[in-house]
C-alpha cells in the first residue's frame, strides 16, 4: 500500500467530526483517512471471500433444485437477491470504511447488547455441524466410508487452517480464491460437456418471467432462495471484519487477527486493547483532502463488491441451475438437501461419463468444505469482536486469542455432537430456519438508523441507498413472518 502500515499509532480523542454515540463505548480517535493504494487490484479480496463463503448449499442445492423442478423461470430472483445483498454489504462497509469499527460495534454504541444478540443468533444458526457433514457426505459418494467419520477428520482441519496460519484473513482469502477458481474451471467443463442446447434456449425465461413465482414450489422456498442468494445472516455482517483485516479505509489502523501460535501480534495495539479507556475506532475530519480519498475508497469498495461478490455469485447460480436443468429437469421425488447432489452426480455419470460425476462430487465436497471454513471463521470473528470491544475491554487477552479459543470451541462442540450421535434438537432446527431472515430484518433497520445518525452529512447514506435499505427491511421482514409461520405449522400441524 502507498500509505504507512502503522496500525496502532496514537491519536487524539474525537472532537466532533463524527457524531458517534459514546454512552456505551469510548470516543474514537481522529486520524487522517489513508489513501487507497495506487494499484487497487492488490486489495481485491473481501468480495471474493464473501462470495466464496456464500457459495454453499443455496448455490449448490437450493437453486439447482428449483431449476430441476420449475425450470429457469425464477433465475431473476437470484439477481434481485444478490443485488439486494450488495446494497446491504455496502452499508455495512460504509460504517467500517469511515470508522474502523465493525458495524456490530457501531450497533453497540446505541444499545450495549446488540452485538450479543447478533452473536447468539449466529451461533443458533451454526452451532449444529451441518456445515461440515454436507461436505463429508459428498466426499463419501466418491470414497465411500461413513460421513460422520469423515466429518470428524475435517473439523480439526478447519480449526488448524484458521488458527495456525500467521494471518487468519490471508489464509481464508487464499483458500476461497482457490475455491472460486476451481468452481470456475469445473463450470467451464460443464458448459462444454454437460449443458444442453435446450437449457441454453430456456435461459432467457429468467428475464422474460420477472416477477413470476413458480406455483409448483412453496412461497417459503422461493422467498428463501431470493433472500439468501449469496450470503445471509451473520455472514453479511462479517464483511466489516474482512475489509478491516484487508486494510480498507480507517480499518487500516486496526490490528489484524493473527495466530497466537505462528503469528506476530502488534504489541502496541495489545497494550492499548487492555485499557478500559482505549478507543474502539478511528474517524477523520471531512476536509477536502480526506473527502477526495473517501470518494476513491467508496468507489473502489462498490466496484470490488460488484465484480466479485455479485458477479461470482450470480454466475455460479446461473451455471449450477443450467447444469441441474440439463440433467434432472422433470425428475420427481428429488430431495432439497445434500442427497440432491448424489442424484445429480449419478445423472452426470450416466450422461457424460463416470469421470464427470466423480469430478462433480469432488468439486462439491471441496466447495462445501471451504464454505464450512468460512462459516467457522465468521461465527468466531463476530463473537471475538463483540467480546473484546464491549465486554473484555480491560482483559489482557487480545482479540486474536479470543478468536483462537472460539474457533476451537466450535470445532470441539461439533465433534462432540457427531461422536455422541445426537440428532439435531427441534428447537435448534426451528431457530436456524428462522434466524437469518430475522437477523437481516433487524440489522437492516439498524444500519439505516446508524448510517444516517452516526456519520457526518458528507458520507451518510442517502437517496436511492436509503430506499434499498428500506427494501431490505421489508423483504426480510416478510420472509421472517413467512418462515416463522411455516415452522409453527410444521411443529404444531
Amino acid at each position: 500500500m502507498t500509505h504507512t502500515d502503522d496500525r496502532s499509532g496514537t491519536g487524539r480523542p474525537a472532537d466532533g467530526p463524527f457524531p458517534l454515540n459514546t454512552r456505551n463505548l469510548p470516543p474514537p480517535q481522529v486520524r487522517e483517512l489513508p489513501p487507497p493504494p495506487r494499484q487497487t487490484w492488490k486489495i481485491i479480496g473481501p468480495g471474493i471471500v464473501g462470495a466464496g463463503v456464500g457459495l454453499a448449499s443455496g448455490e449448490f442445492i437450493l437453486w439447482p433444485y428449483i431449476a430441476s423442478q420449475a425450470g429457469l423461470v425464477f433465475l431473476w430472483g437470484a439477481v434481485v437477491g444478490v443485488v439486494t445483498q450488495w446494497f446491504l454489504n455496502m452499508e455495512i462497509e460504509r460504517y467500517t470504511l469511515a470508522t474502523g469499527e465493525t458495524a456490530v460495534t457501531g450497533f453497540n454504541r446505541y444499545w450495549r447488547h446488540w452485538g450479543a444478540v447478533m452473536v447468539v443468533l449466529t451461533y443458533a444458526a451454526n452451532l449444529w455441524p451441518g456445515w461440515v457433514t454436507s461436505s463429508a457426505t459428498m466426499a463419501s459418494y466418491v470414497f465411500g466410508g461413513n460421513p460422520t467419520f469423515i466429518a470428524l477428520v475435517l473439523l480439526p482441519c478447519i480449526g488448524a487452517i484458521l488458527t495456525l496460519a500467521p494471518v487468519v484473513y490471508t489464509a481464508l482469502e487464499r483458500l476461497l480464491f482457490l475455491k472460486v477458481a476451481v468452481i470456475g474451471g469445473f463450470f467451464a467443463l460443464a458448459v462444454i460437456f454437460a449443458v444442453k442446447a435446450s437449457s441454453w434456449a430456456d435461459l432467457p425465461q429468467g428475464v422474460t418471467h420477472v416477477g413470476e413465482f413458480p406455483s409448483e414450489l412453496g412461497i417459503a422456498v422461493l422467498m428463501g432462495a431470493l433472500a439468501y442468494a449469496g450470503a445471509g445472516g451473520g455472514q453479511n455482517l462479517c464483511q466489516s471484519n474482512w475489509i478491516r483485516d484487508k486494510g480498507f479505509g480507517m480499518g487500516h489502523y486496526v490490528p489484524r487477527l493473527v495466530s497466537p501460535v505462528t503469528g506476530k501480534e502488534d504489541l502496541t495495539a495489545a497494550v492499548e486493547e487492555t485499557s478500559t479507556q482505549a478507543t474502539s475506532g478511528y474517524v477523520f475530519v471531512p476536509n477536502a483532502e480526506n473527502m477526495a480519498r473517501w470518494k476513491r475508497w467508496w468507489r473502489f469498495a462498490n466496484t470490488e463488491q460488484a465484480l466479485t461478490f455479485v458477479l461470482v455469485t450470480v454466475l455460479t447460480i446461473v451455471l449450477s441451475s443450467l447444469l441441474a436443468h440439463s440433467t434432472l429437469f422433470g425428475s420427481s421425488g428429488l430431495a432439497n438437501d445434500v442427497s440432491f447432489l448424489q442424484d445429480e452426480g449419478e445423472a452426470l455419470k450416466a450422461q457424460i461419463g463416470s469421470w464427470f460425476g466423480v469430478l462433480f462430487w469432488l468439486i462439491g465436497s471441496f466447495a462445501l468444505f471451504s464454505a464450512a471454513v468460512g462459516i467457522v471463521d465468521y461465527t468466531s470473528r463476530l463473537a471475538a469482536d463483540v467480546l473484546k470491544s464491549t465486554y473484555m475491554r480491560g482483559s489482557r487477552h487480545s482479540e486474536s486469542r479470543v478468536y483462537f479459543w472460539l474457533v476451537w470451541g466450535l470445532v470441539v462442540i461439533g465433534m462432540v455432537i457427531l461422536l455422541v450421535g445426537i440428532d439435531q434438537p427441534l428447537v435448534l432446527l426451528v431457530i436456524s430456519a428462522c434466524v437469518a431472515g430475522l437477523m437481516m430484518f433487524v440489522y437492516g433497520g439498524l444500519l439505516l438508523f446508524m448510517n444516517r445518525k452516526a456519520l457526518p452529512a458528507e458520507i451518510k447514506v442517502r437517496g436511492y441507498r436509503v430506499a434499498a435499505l428500506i427494501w431490505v427491511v421489508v423483504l426480510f421482514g416478510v420472509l421472517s413472518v413467512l418462515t416463522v409461520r411455516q415452522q409453527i405449522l410444521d411443529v404444531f400441524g
Side-chain angles (χ1 to χ4, degrees):
M1 295 186 182
T2 59
H3 50 271
T4 176
D5 199 32
D6 174 19
R7 289 174 166 260
S8 58
T10 60
R12 57 191 177 87
D15 55 5
F18 281 41
L20 296 186
N21 191 316
T22 58
R23 180 179 57 191
N24 299 314
L25 294 173
Q29 294 178 8
V30 177
R31 298 191 185 177
E32 292 296 308
L33 176 63
R38 295 178 185 273
Q39 297 177 308
T40 51
W41 63 268
K42 291 184 177 180
I43 55 171
I44 288 175
I48 289 286
V49 171
V53 176
L55 297 180
S57 58
E59 286 67 26
F60 282 93
I61 300 173
L62 182 54
W63 281 100
Y65 172 78
I66 292 172
S68 73
Q69 301 301 299
L72 304 174
V73 296
F74 191 57
L75 282 179
W76 63 268
V79 177
V80 171
V82 175
V83 171
T84 295
Q85 290 198 33
W86 175 72
F87 280 107
L88 185 63
N89 288 352
M90 290 319 304
E91 292 312 311
I92 291 168
E93 290 197 14
R94 182 194 299 271
Y95 185 80
T96 301
L97 284 167
T99 67
E101 295 180 346
T102 65
V104 173
T105 300
F107 300 159
N108 284 350
R109 287 188 174 276
Y110 295 94
W111 182 52
R112 192 168 185 260
H113 305 298
W114 272 126
V117 171
M118 297 300 166
V119 168
V120 168
L121 290 175
T122 302
Y123 267 86
N126 296 333
L127 193 62
W128 209 258
W131 31 266
V132 71
T133 55
S134 58
S135 172
T137 301
M138 284 203 75
S140 72
Y141 299 155
V142 180
F143 303 108
N146 188 324
T148 299
F149 176 77
I150 298 172
L152 286 169
V153 174
L154 295 180
L155 277 166
C157 293
I158 292 172
I161 289 170
L162 293 176
T163 59
L164 295 182
V167 178
V168 178
Y169 173 83
T170 301
L172 183 67
E173 183 183 82
R174 288 173 179 172
L175 176 66
L176 293 173
F177 263 89
L178 177 61
K179 171 183 176 175
V180 170
V182 167
I183 291 174
F186 171 77
F187 280 123
L189 291 174
V191 166
I192 297 171
F193 293 108
V195 178
K196 298 177 181 177
S198 58
S199 297
W200 287 113
D202 287 348
L203 183 58
Q205 294 177 359
V207 177
T208 59
H209 289 71
V210 170
E212 295 183 19
F213 289 83
S215 58
E216 58 266 44
L217 296 173
I219 187 66
V221 171
L222 298 175
M223 286 292 288
L226 186 155
Y228 305 142
Q235 183 189 326
N236 296 85
L237 284 174
C238 203
Q239 203 66 44
S240 276
N241 305 71
W242 291 327
I243 69 164
R244 196 168 69 169
D245 267 19
K246 194 67 173 178
F248 280 29
M250 298 303 283
H252 169 76
Y253 296 112
V254 181
R256 296 178 294 185
L257 289 182
V258 299
S259 168
V261 180
T262 63
K264 183 178 180 181
E265 292 194 70
D266 190 321
L267 297 180
T268 306
V271 171
E272 183 178 302
E273 280 186 343
T274 62
S275 169
T276 56
Q277 301 302 315
T279 183
S280 63
Y282 305 89
V283 297
F284 59 89
V285 177
N287 54 33
E289 181 179 3
N290 281 330
M291 287 308 301
R293 292 176 178 180
W294 168 262
K295 290 177 182 177
R296 283 155 45 206
W297 271 117
W298 184 240
R299 183 168 57 248
F300 167 75
N302 276 270
T303 303
E304 196 264 351
Q305 275 281 305
L307 295 180
T308 54
F309 176 78
V310 174
L311 185 60
V312 169
T313 304
V314 170
L315 281 176
T316 302
I317 291 174
V318 169
L319 291 171
S320 63
S321 297
L322 281 168
L323 186 60
H325 186 270
S326 296
T327 53
L328 296 174
F329 181 54
S331 302
S332 59
L334 298 174
N336 185 15
D337 57 33
V338 71
S339 63
F340 173 85
L341 298 175
Q342 184 176 22
D343 294 329
E344 188 171 1
E346 294 293 351
L348 289 170
K349 290 171 72 174
Q351 295 179 22
I352 313 301
S354 295
W355 69 275
F356 199 79
V358 170
L359 180 63
F360 171 73
W361 288 330
L362 288 173
I363 297 296
S365 179
F366 173 67
L368 293 173
F369 171 76
S370 303
V373 175
I375 288 169
V376 174
D377 173 73
Y378 82 70
T379 302
S380 303
R381 273 181 190 270
L382 289 177
D385 174 49
V386 169
L387 287 172
K388 187 58 188 175
S389 67
T390 305
Y391 302 107
M392 298 174 62
R393 295 193 61 79
S395 170
R396 62 184 177 83
H397 297 293
S398 67
E399 186 175 335
S400 293
R401 289 188 176 274
V402 175
Y403 171 85
F404 177 94
W405 290 113
L406 289 170
V407 166
W408 281 105
L410 200 53
V411 167
V412 169
I413 289 171
M415 295 180 72
V416 170
I417 288 171
L418 293 175
L419 285 169
V420 174
I422 303 174
D423 291 330
Q424 184 171 11
L426 180 60
V427 64
L428 275 184
L429 183 64
V430 172
I431 290 173
S432 63
C434 300
V435 70
L438 178 62
M439 281 186 71
M440 297 168 87
F441 164 70
V442 172
Y443 68 65
L446 289 172
L447 282 168
L448 179 57
F449 172 80
M450 183 174 70
N451 284 357
R452 291 284 298 174
K453 189 176 180 65
L455 303 181
E458 294 89 341
I459 63 175
K460 70 181 180 180
V461 61
R462 57 167 61 87
Y464 68 90
R465 291 183 185 264
V466 170
L469 282 179
I470 293 173
W471 159 247
V472 166
V473 173
V474 171
L475 172 64
F476 291 107
V478 170
L479 177 65
S480 297
V481 171
L482 289 173
T483 308
V484 170
R485 176 180 178 274
Q486 184 62 53
Q487 292 302 315
I488 292 174
L489 290 176
D490 289 345
V491 173
F492 298 106

